[in-house]
Amino acid sequence: MNPRRSISSNPASTVKSRFTNGFLQALLRINRQRITSTTAYTPREIFRGYLRVKIAADVSMASAIGSRRAWSRAILRKVRSHGRDGAQVRRMSFLAMRKRNLYGNIKCVEDAGFHQANVLRKLVPGGEAMDMCCLLGETAHYIKCLKTQVKVMGRIAEVFST
Amino acid sequence: MEPNPGTLAGSISIRPDQEETGFESLQFREEIQRLIAVPPENASSFTALLELPATQAMELLHSPPSEDGDPAPLSSDSLHGISDDHKSYISSFNGNPTFPSNKALIERAAKFSVFASGENSPETSSVPSNSSANLEKVKSEPAETDSNPNSSQPLVSDPTVESKTQRSAKRKEREKKGKGCTKKSKNETSQDAQKLPYVHVRARRGQATDSHSLAERARREKINARMKLLQELVPGCSKISGTALVLDEIINHVQSLQRQVEFLSMRLAAVNPRVDYNLEGLFATESGSLVDSNFPSMVAPLVCPEIPFSGSRQHYQQQWHFDALQQPLWGREEDSQTFITPENSLLSYDSANSASLHSNQLKMEL
């Protein structure tokens, strides 16, 4: 059993604990922000609040992973370049695709999983610039981290609603 | 007296030749030693291995000095033994300058991390045909490396030890490969007698042996290995056969996980302002219980956001894309069209029992 620990002490070693701490801090921040602003029940406000929590979850997960994985780097890149215009974002995705065709293998249309690979690329963050091999590896790690995220968030929701 | 000058003259005439050959042999010996000196500087195992075939290739290209027992000392000795053998080869050297092709051999051998052994050619066939045959042989045999880099690593690291034990296996392998490669079958069968201590990698029967298909095969094996990993991660995927179906399953799983995250974040966004924050206790219990708690597989649908906008409910449900999870519960909420008070909104529908419990607790809080 883990002893009591606050957020500021003990460096957490597992991804799960890092994610938990980061996410709870973010939730606190969001909540304080919501209390100071108007308590809005309009659909727009609720949707915005939901978006904030979702982005907080993704970013805290990516920060828990760090720069080790391509998908976490892609998430952090997206968040940091949030202010850029859409044209630049589209340009970057086009460049990423070209890079993949250069270094990866182009002759994959006739392979078995080409269409699914395209869908998977859209799902996994940063998947545009990956060839099939890296894509599968990143998907495996991403699935693992998503499972952890769902577990932790479910538990938090449970605790909050009791 | 006359034969003496003749013999003397003959001896004199012979000696310059010997001197010349000695001088040439010195030159070539220097070149050879330079060639040999270069690979060990790299300090990588396969270039150390290169030494063996370099000398062997040389021996093949030029007139083979002796055929018996030469592979044995070569294989058993380390680099020092090779240099001794070099001198013996050089002494019987004809001075045939085929070093460029030798270097091409070395380059080609260096390109493929593991290369197969050619045989020692006991025949004194013409050098060009021999060199071309050897080039073909060395080219195709490295190209026949099985896409199994893991097995090649120990092979590369212990070439001398393994070469002996593998010779019989190599003979069988070569015969196997001979079936697949018709191009050099003649040369192979003729040179099957003796083997050089090259490292063999098994090629499967009937498979192409050029470098492109090698790389393709390696890539395919990598992809297959990762697909197996993914199949283990995704539940219910191990029974499915076929790449496309497995990928479909993986896509579904990723999508469902992402939707679950979205649902939970919506729920947390709704729950947030209502919670009475007891920070220390909350985080302590949270971090303690996270490790050993089982996440209930049911995700409770969000109730709160439905209150203010019952009219726009359809719109938001389309946005949430909830078709994968908990449809009956949503459907029930939708049909009932009841306005739910903020207190009841915090009820989670994990189980019917807990719902009533939660409502009691909330009423007590308020």
Side-chain angles (χ1 to χ4, degrees):
Chain A
M1 290 303 204
N2 283 338
R4 287 188 171 217
R5 56 176 179 188
S6 57
I7 312 171
S8 50
S9 64
N10 307 13
S13 53
T14 72
V15 170
K16 197 190 223 177
S17 43
R18 283 203 299 266
F19 167 67
T20 317
N21 287 337
F23 186 52
L24 287 172
Q25 290 182 26
L27 277 184
L28 272 182
R29 237 179 289 137
I30 291 173
N31 201 38
R32 269 185 232 123
Q33 200 183 36
R34 263 189 86 157
I35 286 176
T36 54
S37 71
T38 63
T39 57
Y41 278 124
T42 63
R44 185 175 289 254
E45 285 301 320
I46 288 177
F47 188 67
R48 217 171 273 156
Y50 145 73
L51 269 185
R52 278 199 203 106
V53 173
K54 185 171 89 142
I55 292 174
D58 288 336
V59 169
S60 56
M61 193 64 193
S63 317
I65 299 290
S67 306
R68 291 200 297 267
R69 285 280 161 176
W71 63 267
S72 70
R73 290 196 293 267
I75 287 180
L76 295 172
R77 210 168 39 223
K78 247 183 258 178
V79 163
R80 281 182 195 140
S81 69
H82 177 67
R84 289 195 204 161
D85 52 341
Q88 202 161 2
V89 168
R90 258 175 277 126
R91 204 183 314 145
M92 275 166 52
S93 71
F94 173 69
L95 283 174
M97 205 175 67
R98 237 183 39 183
K99 183 179 99 171
R100 177 197 11 133
N101 285 336
L102 269 181
Y103 297 125
N105 266 333
I106 305 185
K107 74 135 219 117
C108 18
V109 184
E110 59 266 21
D111 279 356
F114 184 64
H115 305 289
Q116 285 87 347
N118 280 344
V119 178
L120 206 54
R121 284 205 177 90
K122 289 189 195 116
L123 283 180
V124 175
E128 285 292 322
M130 292 188 226
D131 51 347
M132 190 65 180
C133 183
C134 302
L135 183 68
L136 292 178
E138 294 291 320
T139 309
H141 197 258
Y142 187 56
I143 286 178
K144 230 176 28 156
C145 295
L146 274 182
K147 273 194 196 146
T148 321
Q149 200 173 2
V150 163
K151 266 190 219 163
V152 169
M153 286 173 72
R155 194 72 186 93
I156 291 178
E158 231 177 277
V159 167
F160 275 10
S161 44
T162 56
Chain B
M1 290 293 282
E2 283 176 9
N4 286 337
T7 54
L8 265 179
S11 64
I12 287 168
S13 64
I14 288 169
R15 225 180 290 132
D17 290 339
Q18 283 178 351
E19 282 178 7
E20 279 178 19
T21 55
F23 181 63
E24 279 178 357
S25 71
L26 261 179
Q27 276 182 337
F28 284 118
R29 183 197 296 186
E30 286 170 9
E31 290 198 41
I32 290 160
Q33 284 180 355
R34 219 183 309 130
L35 277 176
I36 294 159
V38 168
E41 292 166 2
N42 297 343
S44 64
S45 54
F46 77 90
T47 50
L49 185 63
L50 250 180
E51 287 205 20
L52 285 172
T55 66
Q56 295 302 326
M58 259 180 40
E59 181 215 343
L60 288 173
L61 290 173
H62 315 296
S63 67
S66 55
E67 310 160 9
D68 324 316
D70 278 337
L74 269 178
S75 62
S76 56
D77 295 354
S78 60
L79 307 174
H80 305 290
I82 292 166
S83 56
D84 291 333
D85 289 324
H86 286 165
K87 294 170 193 159
S88 66
Y89 291 148
I90 290 161
S91 55
S92 61
F93 198 98
N94 274 353
N96 201 348
T98 53
F99 273 102
S101 59
N102 194 9
K103 278 178 190 146
L105 261 183
I106 295 174
E107 284 172 22
R108 204 170 278 114
K111 225 200 312 178
F112 310 105
S113 62
V114 180
F115 45 85
S117 143
E119 295 87 3
N120 197 356
S121 66
E123 312 157 350
T124 59
S125 51
S126 64
V127 173
S129 71
N130 201 358
S131 65
S132 65
N134 288 328
L135 281 178
E136 279 182 14
K137 193 162 30 110
V138 177
K139 175 175 87 166
S140 56
E141 277 167 356
E144 286 168 2
T145 61
D146 202 356
S147 61
N148 200 354
N150 296 331
S151 74
S152 71
Q153 287 307 317
L155 283 175
V156 167
S157 59
D158 288 335
T160 57
V161 174
E162 298 201 33
S163 56
K164 266 194 228 166
T165 60
Q166 284 180 347
R167 232 173 259 144
S168 57
K170 284 177 201 169
R171 207 165 279 136
K172 290 178 197 161
E173 283 174 354
R174 200 164 301 108
E175 287 168 8
K176 240 200 238 178
K177 275 183 269 172
K179 292 175 199 161
C181 326
T182 58
K183 183 165 65 167
K184 46 181 188 55
S185 53
K186 287 183 207 163
N187 292 332
E188 271 196 343
T189 51
S190 58
Q191 294 159 1
D192 247 344
Q194 298 187 11
K195 317 231 173 237
L196 293 172
Y198 280 33
V199 180
H200 253 299
V201 180
R202 186 180 294 268
R204 282 171 268 195
R205 178 183 171 160
Q207 293 217 347
T209 58
D210 48 328
S211 63
H212 289 298
S213 49
L214 250 197
E216 283 276 328
R217 211 190 306 166
R219 170 179 166 264
R220 255 181 276 142
E221 301 242 345
K222 249 205 259 181
I223 289 182
N224 286 339
R226 301 213 174 163
M227 287 283 291
K228 278 203 198 109
L229 263 180
L230 272 173
Q231 273 183 307
E232 286 164 21
L233 266 185
V234 177
C237 225
S238 11
K239 307 168 198 159
I240 305 178
S241 61
T243 322
L245 296 172
V246 166
L247 282 175
D248 277 334
E249 202 54 45
I250 291 170
I251 287 173
N252 282 341
H253 194 242
V254 169
Q255 275 173 344
S256 77
L257 282 174
Q258 282 179 341
R259 278 180 217 148
Q260 281 184 23
V261 169
E262 287 173 11
F263 271 130
L264 284 171
S265 62
M266 179 68 92
R267 193 173 155 201
L268 283 175
V271 158
N272 251 349
R274 300 281 317 172
V275 178
D276 185 15
Y277 281 119
N278 187 0
L279 297 181
E280 290 297 319
L282 192 70
F283 296 143
T285 56
E286 190 47 47
S287 46
S289 58
L290 271 176
V291 181
D292 48 0
S293 72
N294 292 327
F295 168 62
S297 57
M298 294 170 50
V299 178
L302 265 176
V303 178
C304 171
E306 294 191 52
I307 311 158
F309 55 96
S310 57
S312 59
R313 193 174 288 172
Q314 294 298 322
H315 167 64
Y316 272 91
Q317 297 200 343
Q318 281 167 19
Q319 247 176 352
W320 293 333
H321 310 289
F322 64 92
D323 39 278
L325 292 169
Q326 302 301 324
Q327 278 201 15
L329 283 173
W330 275 119
R332 245 189 289 135
E333 281 305 315
E334 204 178 332
D335 295 338
S336 60
Q337 292 278 338
T338 54
F339 277 95
I340 305 166
T341 61
E343 291 90 304
N344 293 337
S345 68
L346 295 175
L347 291 177
S348 64
Y349 286 88
D350 300 320
S351 57
N353 303 331
S354 61
S356 55
L357 271 175
H358 289 163
S359 63
N360 290 339
Q361 287 175 5
L362 284 166
K363 281 173 188 158
M364 276 162 46
E365 276 180 23
L366 295 169

